[in-house]
Amino acid sequence: METYTPNQISGILQVSTTTLRRYEEQDLIPPVPRTPSNHRVYRPVHLQAFTAIRALLLGYDIPVVYEAMRMIKQDKLEGALWLINEQQYQLQVEKQRVEEILTMIRNADFTRYKNVQLKEHMNIGEAARIAGVNTSAIRHWESEGLIGSERNEENGFRMFSTAELRKILVISSLRKTVYYIDNMRNLLHNLDNQNNEKIEGSFQVALENLNKKLTLQFKGIAEVMKYLDWYSKGK
C-alpha cells in the first residue's frame, strides 16, 4: 500500500506539518501507524482525511468540521452527515433572509417581515426575535452608533422605531459581508437617504458570497464522501 511522510502530505496539501499534527492531536483522522524509529506513516486514507478537512474548512465553521470528523472516526457516519447538512440548511435560511429584506427595500415596505406585523415601536427582545440575532448584538450595534433607541418613560427599556428596526434588519443580513463599522455606517446613511442603488449593490454582493460558499460546501461534501469510501475500505 502506498504510504506518505508528513512532508509529502504537507507538500500535496500546501499546509505545514504542524497543522497536520494538530489535526491528529484533535482526533480528526484515523490512527497513524509509526515506524520502529517512531516516524509517522500516512496512508491514502489519511491523505483523504486531511483533504476532506481542508475542503470542509472553506465552507463550514471550524467546530462543525472538527465534530463531523470526530464522529466519522467514531463510526457515527450518518450523524456526521446530518451535522454538515444542518449548516447547509443555515446557509439556505441566510440566503432567504437576505432576499426577503432586499425585497422589502425594493418595495419600500417595512410594515411586515416573515408574516409579522411590525409595530411602530418595539423593545429590544422583540427587535432581536424579528431580526434573528441576540440582544447583545443589538446593544453592540447601538454602542457603535449604528442604530439608536428611545427609552420607555415607564420602565426605561430600550424602544426601537420602525426606522431603526429597518437598520437592524439590514445590519443582521449584511454583517458577514460588510466587515468594517465605517462601511456599515455609510451603508446605513444610504438607507436613511433612500439611496437604494447602493443598498441593493451590497445585498447582491452578499448573495454572491452565499452562492460561493454554497459551492465550497458541496466541494467539501464531495471530499467527505471520498473519505468515507476510503474509511469503509480500511475497516
Side-chain angles (χ1 to χ4, degrees):
M1 178 181 290
E2 189 174 8
T3 60
Y4 306 90
T5 66
N7 284 334
Q8 286 174 321
I9 298 284
S10 173
I12 293 170
L13 298 181
Q14 294 298 294
V15 297
S16 68
T17 55
T18 301
T19 298
L20 299 179
R21 287 196 299 272
R22 184 172 70 249
Y23 293 155
E24 183 180 349
E25 291 165 358
Q26 290 289 330
D27 206 28
L28 309 185
I29 64 172
V32 180
R34 302 276 186 140
T35 66
S37 54
N38 204 35
H39 293 299
R40 289 175 173 83
V41 178
Y42 292 126
R43 297 201 165 106
V45 66
H46 299 106
L47 173 58
Q48 188 55 46
F50 287 131
T51 301
I53 293 169
R54 300 301 295 177
L56 286 172
L57 287 172
L58 296 175
Y60 296 88
D61 295 340
I62 292 176
V64 171
V65 175
Y66 280 26
E67 182 60 22
M69 294 301 292
R70 291 190 188 105
M71 292 177 78
I72 292 172
K73 188 176 179 181
Q74 297 165 4
D75 288 334
K76 300 177 181 178
L77 309 185
E78 291 82 6
L81 293 177
W82 279 114
L83 180 63
I84 292 170
N85 180 73
E86 182 179 352
Q87 191 156 29
Q88 274 199 305
Y89 171 72
Q90 292 172 2
L91 187 70
Q92 181 181 4
V93 170
E94 187 175 350
K95 177 176 179 288
Q96 291 172 342
R97 169 195 186 78
V98 170
E99 290 174 335
E100 287 170 354
I101 296 177
L102 177 57
T103 298
M104 292 172 71
I105 291 172
R106 285 172 173 167
N107 296 338
D109 181 8
F110 278 82
T111 58
R112 297 185 69 84
Y113 177 62
K114 290 187 178 296
N115 295 321
V116 176
Q117 185 71 36
L118 304 185
K119 298 185 295 184
E120 187 173 342
H121 288 88
M122 284 156 286
N123 62 40
I124 192 170
E126 292 171 324
R129 282 193 297 275
I130 291 170
V133 298
N134 295 324
T135 55
S136 58
I138 294 178
R139 292 191 184 94
H140 172 68
W141 298 335
E142 186 175 10
S143 70
E144 292 288 350
L146 298 177
I147 57 175
S149 65
E150 304 169 6
R151 292 285 178 170
N152 186 308
E153 294 181 358
E154 295 181 0
N155 53 34
F157 291 166
R158 288 177 173 86
M159 300 298 293
F160 296 92
S161 66
T162 303
E164 295 306 310
L165 179 63
R166 180 176 60 180
K167 293 179 183 178
I168 291 171
L169 289 172
V170 169
I171 297 169
S172 65
S173 298
L174 300 181
R175 66 190 187 279
K176 295 182 181 179
T177 303
V178 181
Y179 300 107
Y180 300 106
I181 291 293
D182 286 342
N183 291 349
M184 184 65 79
R185 191 173 286 113
N186 291 335
L187 189 63
L188 296 176
H189 178 73
N190 290 325
L191 183 66
D192 283 336
N193 292 319
Q194 297 184 339
N195 190 341
N196 288 350
E197 183 177 345
K198 290 187 177 180
I199 296 292
E200 287 190 26
S202 296
F203 273 84
Q204 290 299 337
V205 170
L207 289 172
E208 289 171 8
N209 288 344
L210 290 172
N211 288 335
K212 290 176 183 176
K213 188 170 184 179
L214 179 65
T215 299
L216 292 173
Q217 286 188 342
F218 274 106
K219 288 181 178 179
I221 290 174
E223 295 300 339
V224 168
M225 298 311 295
K226 292 178 186 177
Y227 172 49
L228 291 179
D229 186 49
W230 272 108
Y231 189 78
S232 61
K233 289 177 181 177
K235 290 178 61 178

